[in-house]
Amino acid sequence: MYTQLRLHKSDQRNYVYDKRYWFQTLDINNYKEWYSSVTEVVDKINSELDWDDCPNIDEFIKRLEFGSFCHLWMFVDKALGWHWTHDKHITKDWKSSYSILEDNSIYVGGAFLSKEKPEASSAKKFYRQGFNYTFNYHKKDIQYLYNDDWNRASSILSRQCGYTEYNFL
């Protein structure tokens, strides 16, 4: 099962930003410039997770070809993870449409943060700053995401950032 969540831009909680954490957005036009960072994240996913459907480089490219955006999670100059967005579709695999999004909304998900994170608060910083970054990058006011029940940490972090339950699937 899973939990469906929504966040309005105006409902974000106050937060002091840590500028060591930043994001690099990749699409089909610029991912080659960041290829080494992408392969680093893909390698970390494959070594840290026991997951049959771990994305490889071919899957990564298919996601971008569908119009999904990858947002690398950077700490100073090192890629530690990513999250994904789509500004037109709700998608369960980032390469096909489940349904069409309403205007002014964005679909968010697919977050991964390496166990090599620099400090215990890294996940909270990436989530909080990532949601804000996503609102600003896509110029949208509503975000939707779902968390699989096994991913309790993501659900907790999302709620701490202001997400509330909302059925959209």
Side-chain angles (χ1 to χ4, degrees), residues 62-73:
K62 286 178 186 174
R63 291 176 175 196
L64 297 179
E65 287 172 341
F66 175 65
S68 296
F69 296 86
C70 176
H71 308 277
L72 289 176
W73 291 4

Side-chain angles (χ1 to χ4, degrees), residues 100-164:
I100 303 295
L101 278 167
E102 301 167 1
D103 288 341
N104 203 29
S105 45
I106 187 84
Y107 183 68
V108 182
F112 168 77
L113 176 61
S114 173
K115 294 175 183 173
E116 298 173 18
K117 59 188 178 225
E119 53 196 8
S121 62
S122 292
K124 188 171 189 172
K125 290 178 182 180
F126 274 125
Y127 267 69
R128 178 61 187 93
Q129 292 179 198
F131 292 143
N132 186 262
Y133 175 83
T134 297
F135 275 128
N136 293 331
Y137 180 83
H138 289 286
K139 296 178 176 49
K140 305 285 185 176
D141 292 322
I142 303 169
Q143 292 180 18
Y144 296 98
L145 69 77
Y146 81 90
N147 292 115
D148 291 309
D149 287 347
W150 61 263
N151 197 350
R152 194 161 134 48
S154 181
S155 184
I156 290 168
L157 288 164
S158 298
R159 290 171 195 274
Q160 288 175 346
C161 294
Y163 269 90
T164 56

Side-chain angles (χ1 to χ4, degrees), residues 26-37:
L26 307 181
D27 61 26
I28 196 63
N29 298 310
N30 71 348
Y31 79 91
K32 290 178 182 175
E33 299 166 42
W34 292 88
Y35 192 80
S36 63
S37 295

Side-chain angles (χ1 to χ4, degrees), residues 30-75:
N30 71 348
Y31 79 91
K32 290 178 182 175
E33 299 166 42
W34 292 88
Y35 192 80
S36 63
S37 295
V38 170
T39 57
E40 240 182 283
V41 173
V42 168
D43 290 347
K44 287 175 185 176
I45 291 171
N46 283 288
S47 68
E48 295 180 22
L49 298 179
D50 182 19
W51 180 26
D52 292 337
D53 293 327
C54 280
N56 56 33
I57 295 299
D58 290 337
E59 291 295 310
F60 174 87
I61 294 169
K62 286 178 186 174
R63 291 176 175 196
L64 297 179
E65 287 172 341
F66 175 65
S68 296
F69 296 86
C70 176
H71 308 277
L72 289 176
W73 291 4
M74 306 296 293
F75 178 77

